[in-house]
Amino acid sequence: MTDLTIGILETGPVMEPLLSRHGSYPQMMERLLAGRGFAFKSWRVLEGDLPATVDAADGWLITGSRHGAYDELPWIPPLEEFLRRAFEAQVPIVGICFGHQILAQALGGKVVKYEGGWSLGRQDYRIAGFDTPLEVIGFHQDQVIEAPEGAEIVGSSDFCRIAALSYGDRAWTLQPHPEFEPEFVSDLFEQRKDLLPADLVAKALETLDGSYDSETVADKMAAVLRAGARSRQAEAASA
């Protein structure tokens, strides 16, 4: 039984032939969070489609994107304004990769194309609340290098100092991709082979076998969205 609707803000396209094989980023997010009592609705933000109000869903989930948060694209400033309004209204937000970066930037942090290059393949992330590092797939060059005021750095890797941010009970964001499956990543490497360093791709491909902690991360994402939504509902009921 579903009792909360999560709005997925789609900020990047999956290009053919990957789309027909693996689905869109919202579909990947829905698969990741399946069985946790959520209904989903998506908005194609990269095409200028934004929710009419921050209350159009019980919580917001921002996908990854090939674009940079700092890119001068017409849909990015309206997205930032929407996220600031949602944050102010205490609608819970979870951001993944680009979602991690754009929320940080919208709230006063800084995102850059990292001069140290790409993080590709399975990586170990030290995340607050977990006794051992979590193994999650990384696929990024951009990084948050300055956290917004009031945000707590709660995750890092050897490559990425600000790999997770907590904004109290309002938001939680993560740099790597728990929604990515190895087959998709392998296909994505092939699609973007002209952009990615061949030596890093070769090393990353060797890490794609084995298990990941995606379900553990999904549990954390669901807990943040559910707790934030419940807190907001309780506050509204007592007003």
Side-chain angles (χ1 to χ4, degrees), residues 66-89:
R66 68 178 58 188
H67 301 296
Y70 45 76
D71 286 344
E72 295 182 0
L73 296 170
W75 54 269
I76 286 183
L79 171 61
E80 290 184 296
E81 176 58 27
F82 177 86
L83 293 174
R84 285 190 288 267
R85 286 189 281 112
F87 185 83
E88 182 64 25

Side-chain angles (χ1 to χ4, degrees), residues 110-187:
K110 185 175 182 179
V111 180
V112 300
K113 187 176 294 293
Y114 184 53
E115 63 184 11
W118 290 85
S119 176
L120 301 174
R122 180 169 51 192
Q123 310 288 330
D124 287 342
Y125 294 90
R126 299 174 292 276
I127 308 293
F130 299 95
D131 294 334
T132 58
L134 301 183
E135 294 185 329
V136 191
I137 291 176
F139 199 118
H140 70 100
Q141 184 176 13
D142 293 350
Q143 290 195 26
V144 178
I145 61 168
E146 294 179 11
E149 183 177 354
E152 180 184 1
I153 301 171
V154 293
S156 64
S157 71
D158 291 342
F159 183 80
C160 183
R161 183 177 69 88
I162 305 179
L165 287 167
S166 175
Y167 300 78
D169 58 0
R170 298 191 188 191
W172 187 82
T173 63
L174 186 69
Q175 179 58 63
H177 286 278
E179 80 281 15
F180 280 6
E181 297 179 350
E183 295 81 5
F184 172 73
V185 176
S186 180
D187 286 349

